[in-house]
């Protein structure tokens, strides 16, 4: 039944996307070129609506049994409306944040899905969040939602990275014995792959905020369903799995802080911009980031099966590797090279 549903989600997405493309032009949901954009012509956005519709069709056919499914879908509907309004009318950042807060609250408050505690290793202590459970849950959902949105800068980039994250999440859910999360992540991945037929370089349609916000929201909620209320190390797994969007967002904050720019100010120094500036083509840049996302996914799977000390060693190696890569391509700023400079200093001594 699941295999049929995955095929259905993919085919539905392939069929819905051209229809949504026509709708985008009709309602004015288009992306015009500017100094920050890499495309040179007017492009339809709103493509995330095709992903959402195909996911809903597959969801209705599969009829999964999940405790939080109604709250999850309610939040998804709110986030889709928010993204669609932005794609059509370019609403303010405050209005988008309000939509995200409502979507996150529908899951955390109405649905009762919350990060209630984590088990601290080494000292055998359970940290209860109490009244902070709801704010922390909402913060997680909004953070991941915006992280996916920030990497949506090249043809097929956000859709491909999200698909890799969803497939990793589905595999992790199978290992951890959460079939609802495994099925939902796989169905959403199939829907996103169908959209990628039209979104991969050269793209015929963009997912827009409709798609980026929806995928970020769903990934954050499904990760919570799969990993909530467990050990601190298990909570790190979805962070590793989403290493590309999270690290890109983190170093964007570092970059803007160092240059004394507003934290939400747009720029052309994200991961994909840095790779393009390094001389890679549009297609090569997307494929490189896909590869990085896949490595993060593999690392998350290894991390989940490692011993505690093995997990710590893997985490340290990953952090050092990320820092060296970030400094090499200038992701945190051209003059930000503390680790490379330290290595050079040690080498000279």
């Amino acid at each position: 039944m699941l295999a049929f549903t995955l095929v259905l989600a993919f085919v539905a997405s392939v069929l819905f996307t051209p229809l949504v493309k026509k709708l985008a032009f009709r309602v004015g949901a288009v992306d015009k070129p500017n100094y920050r954009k890499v495309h040179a012509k007017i492009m339809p956005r709103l493509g995330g609506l095709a992903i959402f519709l195909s996911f809903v069709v597959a969801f209705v056919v599969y009829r999964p049994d999940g405790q939080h499914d109604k709250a999850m879908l309610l939040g998804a509907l709110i986030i889709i409306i928010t993204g669609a309004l932005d794609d059509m009318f370019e609403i303010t950042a405050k209005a988008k944040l309000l939509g995200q807060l409502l979507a996150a609250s529908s899951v955390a408050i109405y649905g009762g899905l919350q990060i209630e505690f984590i088990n601290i290793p080494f000292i055998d202590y359970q940290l209860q969040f109490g009244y902070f459970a709801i704010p922390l849950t909402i913060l997680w959902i909004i953070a991941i939602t915006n992280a996916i949105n920030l990497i949506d800068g090249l043809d097929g980039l956000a859709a491909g990275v999200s698909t890799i994250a969803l497939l990793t999440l589905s595999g992790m859910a199978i290992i951890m014995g959460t079939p609802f999360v495994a099925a939902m992540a796989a169905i959403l991945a199939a829907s996103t792959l169908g959209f990628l037929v039209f979104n991969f370089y050269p793209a015929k349609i963009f997912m827009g905020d409709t798609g980026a916000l929806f995928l970020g929201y769903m990934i954050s909620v499904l990760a919570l369903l799969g990993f909530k209320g467990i050990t601190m190390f298990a909570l790190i797994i979805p962070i590793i799995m989403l290493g590309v969007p999270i690290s890109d967002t983190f170093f964007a904050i570092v970059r803007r802080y160092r240059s004394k720019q507003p934290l939400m100010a747009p720029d052309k120094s994200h991961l994909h911009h840095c790779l393009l500036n390094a001389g890679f083509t549009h297609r090569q840049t997307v494929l490189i980031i896909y590869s990085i996302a896949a490595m993060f996914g593999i690392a998350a799977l290894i991390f989940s099966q490692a011993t505690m000390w093995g997990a710590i060693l893997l985490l340290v190696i990953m952090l050092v590797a990320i820092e060296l890569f970030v400094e090499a391509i200038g992701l945190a700023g051209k003059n930000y090279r503390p680790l490379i400079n330290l290595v050079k200093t040690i080498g000279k001594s």
Side-chain angles (χ1 to χ4, degrees):
M1 181 62 179
L2 179 58
F4 168 78
T5 308
L6 296 177
V7 173
L8 174 64
F10 177 84
V11 173
S13 186
V14 170
L15 296 176
F16 279 134
T17 301
L19 300 177
V20 170
K21 179 182 176 181
K22 293 179 181 179
L23 176 64
F25 279 118
R26 182 166 297 182
V27 300
V30 295
D31 201 349
K32 298 178 182 179
N34 62 36
Y35 78 99
R36 290 187 61 245
K37 306 293 177 65
V38 297
H39 61 281
K41 64 179 182 179
I42 294 176
M43 291 289 294
R45 48 193 184 190
L46 200 70
L49 184 60
I51 300 174
F52 173 71
L53 292 174
S54 57
F55 173 77
V56 170
V57 168
F59 183 92
V60 171
V61 171
Y62 189 67
R63 295 180 182 178
D65 182 20
Q67 181 183 354
H68 303 282
D69 54 350
K70 292 183 178 63
M72 181 182 72
L73 289 177
L74 174 61
L77 181 60
I78 293 171
I79 210 75
I80 281 290
I81 292 172
T82 303
L85 288 173
D86 189 58
D87 285 341
M88 290 187 289
F89 307 113
E90 295 189 0
I91 60 177
T92 65
K94 289 182 179 178
K96 277 202 292 186
L97 180 59
L98 177 61
Q100 294 171 37
L101 281 169
L102 290 173
S105 298
S106 70
V107 173
I109 300 174
Y110 169 68
L113 175 60
Q114 300 164 16
I115 306 174
E116 298 172 350
F117 65 89
I118 56 172
N119 294 313
I120 308 297
F122 303 115
I123 60 175
D124 192 25
Y125 177 74
Q126 188 178 88
L127 178 61
Q128 296 281 347
F129 291 118
Y131 293 114
F132 293 101
I134 291 176
L136 281 172
T137 304
I138 291 174
L139 180 62
W140 165 264
I141 294 173
I142 291 177
I144 299 303
T145 297
N146 283 287
I148 297 296
N149 196 26
L150 280 175
I151 64 167
D152 187 24
L154 295 179
D155 297 0
L157 182 55
V161 170
S162 296
T163 300
I164 293 168
L166 286 164
L167 292 174
T168 304
L169 182 55
S170 184
M172 288 298 309
I174 292 172
I175 293 172
M176 300 187 73
T178 51
F180 174 79
V181 175
M184 291 300 94
I187 290 171
L188 186 54
S191 300
T192 311
L193 279 172
F195 174 72
L196 260 174
V197 172
F198 303 91
N199 183 238
F200 190 73
Y201 183 81
K204 299 176 180 64
I205 183 174
F206 294 159
M207 69 165 59
D209 273 21
T210 312
L213 294 179
F214 171 61
L215 287 174
Y217 164 82
M218 288 297 295
I219 289 171
S220 65
V221 172
L222 290 172
L224 277 181
L225 286 170
F227 299 98
K228 70 165 192 152
I230 42 182
T231 66
M232 180 178 287
F233 283 107
L235 197 62
I236 294 172
I237 293 171
I239 297 175
I240 296 174
M241 184 183 67
L242 296 166
V244 168
I246 289 177
S247 58
D248 194 20
T249 302
F250 173 77
F251 285 105
I253 293 172
V254 172
R255 182 172 64 246
R256 289 160 190 169
Y257 176 78
R258 294 182 68 249
S259 60
K260 298 180 180 179
Q261 297 293 321
L263 294 184
M264 300 304 292
D267 60 23
K268 291 192 70 173
S269 299
H270 286 286
L271 175 59
H272 54 279
H273 293 125
C274 291
L275 291 173
L276 288 171
N277 292 336
F280 294 102
T281 66
H282 192 128
R283 184 187 293 267
Q284 287 171 339
T285 297
V286 172
L287 292 176
I288 287 170
I289 298 177
Y290 281 2
S291 301
I292 296 171
M295 285 190 288
F296 274 118
I298 294 169
L301 290 169
I302 294 172
F303 188 91
S304 69
Q305 301 302 304
T307 63
M308 183 178 295
W309 289 109
I312 292 173
L313 177 62
L314 177 61
L315 191 59
V316 170
I317 292 172
M318 285 185 60
L319 291 173
V320 172
I322 291 169
E323 178 65 21
L324 286 171
F325 178 72
V326 165
E327 292 179 21
I329 66 172
L331 187 60
K334 292 182 180 180
N335 298 320
Y336 177 80
R337 298 163 67 91
L339 194 56
I340 290 178
N341 291 336
L342 176 63
V343 171
K344 288 181 178 179
T345 302
I346 294 173
K348 291 178 181 179
S349 61

